[in-house]
Amino acid sequence: MTTPPKVRRENDARPGPVVLDEISKQIVEQLQGDGRKPYAAIGKAVGLSEAAVRQRVQRLLDAGVMQIVAVTDPLILGFPRQAMIGIKCEGDLEIVADELSAIAEIDYVVLTAGSLDIMVEVVCESDQHLLEILGKIRAIPSVRATETFVYLKLHKQTYSWGTR
């Protein structure tokens, strides 16, 4: 459904990959299971003090390794229509992606390989709302075509892919 906010693009200025030790990986996995888990409980699980966990979590947040966010259920909040929209473009895809990112209802923007250039995810109040968003997307000059994949049922959604 939705991806946590402020996802960074590959060309953003930032250092290379961060290498995590096993304890930091365990902390991330503990928080992916429950983002509100107390630092003391995480400390017990990973063998550190509460203060040490707090410091490590802050370093992980500061380094951009993770975010701690609330994930909502759109259906419960009155957004019954969700869709993935595939977009075919011409020209500079980054410019189109920036314009798409500025549309409030678009929660997720990725550049892709294959028959579609960009995929976006939307959460809408109604089918009419989805049509309005499609109109905004199609009004972007470099957009040549869209293909909409309406969600009928969410079967699985997790944010617990771990740190591998």
Side-chain angles (χ1 to χ4, degrees), residues 27-102:
I27 290 170
V28 170
E29 289 169 359
Q30 290 283 317
L31 288 168
Q32 283 182 319
D34 179 359
R36 295 179 58 183
K37 192 169 197 172
Y39 291 147
I42 295 170
K44 284 181 184 178
V46 303
L48 292 178
S49 69
E50 178 180 351
V53 170
R54 183 182 317 281
Q55 289 173 348
R56 281 185 181 243
V57 167
Q58 191 59 54
R59 283 197 305 261
L60 292 166
L61 293 169
D62 292 345
V65 169
M66 67 177 189
Q67 299 174 12
I68 300 172
V69 298
V71 178
T72 61
D73 184 329
L75 294 173
I76 292 174
L77 292 177
F79 298 98
R81 177 57 66 222
Q82 296 134 29
M84 186 69 68
I85 303 169
I87 303 165
K88 293 182 182 183
C89 308
E90 64 181 25
D92 188 337
L93 296 181
E94 292 284 345
I95 292 171
V96 178
D98 287 342
E99 290 186 51
L100 292 165
S101 296

